[in-house]
Amino acid sequence: MRKVIVCNIMSLDGYYEGPGKNVMVLFDYRWDAYPTDESFDAYNAERLRAADTLLLGRVSYEGFKGFWPSVADDPKATPIQREISRLNNAIDKVVISDSLTSEETDPWHNTRIIRRADAHEQIAELKRQSGKEILVFGSHTLWNDLLANDLVDELHLMIGPVVLGAGTPLFDGRPPISLRLIDTRTWDGSGNVLVRYEVSRQKT
Amino acid sequence: MRKLTAYNFLALNGFFKGPNEDTSWHTHGAEEARYSEEALAQDASILLFGRKTYEMMVSFWPTPQAKELFPEVAAGMNKAEKFVFSKSPFEPEWENTQVISGDIVEKIREIKKSPGKDMTILGSGTIINLFTDHGLIDEYQFMIDPVALPDGTPIFKNIKQKVALRLTGSKVFNSGVVLLNYQPINK
């Protein structure tokens, strides 16, 4: 039985991204106060090393695919970003989408497309297989649905040192979610706090 | 210069009150109560509330029930010096309480410049938003519960601009509550 682990960054006031779906506002202020902070990249790489499947919604998949493939060979990228790029390129990817076609997965040919109607059943099946962790980055629409359907095992949230006041909420307003704190982590030279939670299983 | 701190219980998704002003989701663990007791016992801060939070507090802390459930915290809350912000003046029934009305931003600015105790705002989302916009808050302390609420009142709502923060401390409680301390960076 494998775990589905959701790994996301959020603002202190619970936003997934700022107004206009701008995710960069979560990082803007960090560079001023914490110019050498690599904790977000370092933790993402740590999770990728522990996973063998990257599970994504279409928007995050296309965003990542438009950015990460070439970073491995970019001399201007940091070593940790080049590692993330290599890990992202190598890992098996699963995308939940009704519109994406296999031609559109280039250059990430190790991508499997699952239609939305089959998502719960197929993800439950993936969880039953043996292997490493199933990792979700971004993809808040997808994982809120999985969370409501008891298919998420852990939430690893990095709380960034910024209050946005507006934007896309991280949680989409489903029934209350009870969590159990696993642990927290902070880094020297970073304003991020990693809080890791186990999702309390629903009683059946 | 006196220090002004905002101290609040938050759900993981930024709400300080759930639907219908519900705060029952907050874990009132023994360890958190001890933390509040210790903070109150130092008697280092004047407690500040908006009118709504004041009404909630005054309906609980002076009662026999509060004295029985949380004797130390109740004693501390009752004994502490308190300011309540209100659009119109009223006669407060809670001991050691002073009502501040009128231009509260200007008044707090003056009080911060005058010598005296530090101040801590409890609850009071409206006041926190107003004072955040005017750069009056020196530190934010949030007790974050391991729960995401479906809806409620966000602690930050309609603030004029984003607030960049410096993380100054964190503490984990056995209940799974995480205390995070921040200072605004533009200070």
Side-chain angles (χ1 to χ4, degrees), chain B residues 119-134:
Chain B
M119 298 176 282
T120 302
I121 309 171
L122 303 181
S124 310
T126 311
I127 300 292
I128 288 178
N129 283 289
L130 180 66
F131 288 180
T132 294
D133 277 341
H134 287 87

Side-chain angles (χ1 to χ4, degrees), chain A residues 10-182:
Chain A
M10 65 184 264
S11 70
L12 175 59
D13 52 342
Y15 290 104
Y16 173 83
E17 58 198 0
K21 302 191 180 232
N22 180 0
V23 72
M24 293 318 290
V25 288
L26 284 167
F27 302 97
D28 285 353
Y29 296 101
R30 219 171 62 186
W31 308 137
D32 294 339
Y34 300 106
T36 59
D37 184 6
E38 288 196 319
S39 59
F40 179 67
D41 286 342
Y43 190 69
N44 286 346
E46 182 179 325
R47 286 272 59 85
L48 277 165
R49 287 182 217 117
D52 63 11
T53 306
L54 186 59
L55 173 60
L56 300 168
R58 184 190 55 81
V59 175
S60 292
Y61 176 79
E62 292 191 331
F64 296 157
K65 191 169 66 72
F67 179 78
W68 284 110
S70 62
V71 174
D73 301 315
D74 181 355
K76 292 196 296 293
T78 62
I80 194 76
Q81 286 168 341
R82 290 200 292 269
E83 185 189 356
I84 291 173
S85 173
R86 288 192 299 273
L87 290 164
N88 271 332
N89 292 339
I91 197 169
D92 283 342
K93 287 158 283 282
V94 173
V95 191
I96 309 301
S97 171
D98 285 346
S99 60
L100 195 75
T101 64
S102 56
E103 292 75 44
E104 291 168 327
T105 62
D106 186 73
W108 274 355
H109 299 291
N110 50 356
T111 298
R112 178 180 160 205
I113 301 165
I114 294 178
R115 299 306 174 200
R116 284 160 65 190
D118 304 325
H120 296 167
E121 193 185 318
Q122 290 299 312
I123 291 164
E125 174 55 31
L126 276 173
K127 278 168 64 64
R128 279 193 290 272
Q129 294 168 5
S130 59
K132 295 164 86 178
E133 291 168 2
I134 301 167
L135 178 61
V136 180
F137 284 147
S139 311
H140 74 107
T141 308
L142 170 64
W143 69 251
N144 268 283
D145 175 65
L146 300 183
L147 191 60
N149 286 281
D150 212 12
L151 286 166
V152 174
D153 297 280
E154 293 180 14
L155 283 178
H156 296 189
L157 302 175
M158 201 168 266
I159 303 176
V162 62
V163 169
L164 295 180
T168 308
L170 184 76
F171 293 93
D172 74 1
R174 306 266 181 148
I177 306 294
S178 278
L179 303 165
R180 192 189 70 78
L181 185 71
I182 302 168

Side-chain angles (χ1 to χ4, degrees), chain B residues 4-10 16-17 23 35-36 39-40 45-58 61 73 76-78 80-85 94 119-129 131 137 139-143 155 179:
Chain B
L4 180 56
T5 302
Y7 178 74
N8 254 291
F9 303 111
L10 293 188
F16 78 112
K17 289 187 279 195
T23 54
Y35 177 84
S36 304
L40 283 165
S45 266
I46 301 172
L47 305 180
L48 276 55
F49 318 103
R51 183 74 188 263
K52 262 199 223 166
T53 302
Y54 169 82
E55 297 294 350
M56 241 171 58
M57 297 269 184
V58 76
W61 290 113
V73 181
M77 292 293 292
N78 294 329
E81 199 178 334
K82 295 171 278 286
F83 291 167
V84 50
F85 300 105
W94 204 357
M119 298 176 282
T120 302
I121 309 171
L122 303 181
S124 310
T126 311
I127 300 292
I128 288 178
N129 283 289
F131 288 180
I137 296 177
E139 182 165 338
Y140 297 91
Q141 300 187 354
F142 294 123
M143 285 269 202
I155 186 69
L179 172 67

Side-chain angles (χ1 to χ4, degrees), chain A residues 10 12-14 25 29 33-34 157 159 161-165 171 173-174 176-179 181 184 186 191-193 197, chain B residues 10 12-14 142 144-150 156-159 162-167 170 172 176 178 180 182 185:
Chain A
M10 65 184 264
L12 175 59
D13 52 342
V25 288
Y29 296 101
Y34 300 106
L157 302 175
I159 303 176
V162 62
V163 169
L164 295 180
F171 293 93
R174 306 266 181 148
I177 306 294
S178 278
L179 303 165
L181 185 71
T184 68
T186 58
N192 290 334
V193 180
Y197 298 100
Chain B
L10 293 188
L12 187 53
N13 51 342
F142 294 123
I144 301 183
D145 269 76
V147 60
L149 300 175
F156 293 100
K157 198 165 112 185
N158 303 323
I159 48 170
K162 299 177 272 283
V163 186
L165 302 165
R166 185 180 302 282
L167 180 70
S170 66
V172 177
V178 180
L180 300 179
Y182 296 94
I185 275 169

Side-chain angles (χ1 to χ4, degrees), chain B residues 9 23-30 32-33 143-147 175-177:
Chain B
F9 303 111
T23 54
S24 63
W25 46 270
H26 174 64
T27 317
H28 289 280
E32 289 92 321
M143 285 269 202
I144 301 183
D145 269 76
V147 60
S175 58
V177 169

